[in-house]
Amino acid sequence: MRLSKIAKLVEARVVSGEIDNVEIERGFSSDLMSDVLTLDTNNMLLITGMTNLQAIRTADMADVNCILFVRNKRATPEMIELANELGIIMLESPLSMFRISGMLYCDGLNPVY
């Protein structure tokens, strides 16, 4: 699924990176960064409410190149700077994690598990 389509579906705004021509194969929703570190999946969208530098560092270690923050959570300037340095795309949505996960699953995005 194209990231631009995902952004439109979940009413997200892009805060770092470029979403044009980015394909996402799977989605994973979690606020536990330790769970993210156990994954071995390419082209994955991390859906989370954890808006701190640890989320960016975890995504980098887990080779996750796209993070979607939920519940109107906002990335800090420090997070945006780090994400840009690491090439991580970040989006922000006003919707809940539950709603976003259901919407994306129903529209065809595959889960990790």
Side-chain angles (χ1 to χ4, degrees):
M1 180 180 290
R2 288 208 182 268
L3 189 53
S4 56
K5 180 179 180 180
I6 292 171
K8 186 175 182 177
L9 280 172
V10 302
E11 305 167 24
R13 71 181 192 102
V14 179
V15 294
S16 74
E18 292 289 327
I19 65 171
D20 295 334
N21 301 318
V22 174
E23 286 288 331
I24 300 294
E25 294 177 10
R26 301 190 180 280
F28 186 74
S29 301
S30 182
D31 284 341
L32 295 173
M33 295 300 105
S34 58
D35 285 351
V36 176
L37 291 173
T38 67
L39 304 175
D40 185 22
T41 302
N42 293 325
N43 301 327
M44 184 187 84
L45 172 66
L46 172 60
I47 305 164
T48 187
M50 293 296 295
T51 50
N52 56 36
L53 288 172
Q54 185 63 31
I56 309 304
R57 295 192 190 287
T58 301
D60 182 46
M61 291 187 336
D63 293 324
V64 173
N65 64 350
C66 187
I67 304 172
L68 172 60
F69 297 112
V70 299
R71 299 186 305 269
N72 272 325
K73 300 286 184 127
R74 301 285 183 218
T76 65
E78 294 82 14
M79 292 171 63
I80 295 169
E81 181 180 346
L82 182 59
N84 283 328
E85 288 175 17
L86 298 173
I88 295 174
I89 299 168
M90 293 191 307
L91 301 102
E92 298 171 341
S93 173
L95 306 179
S96 72
M97 186 185 299
F98 180 80
R99 185 171 175 190
I100 288 171
S101 298
M103 290 169 68
L104 295 178
Y105 180 77
C106 287
D107 208 58
L109 186 63
N110 293 316
V112 171
Y113 299 119

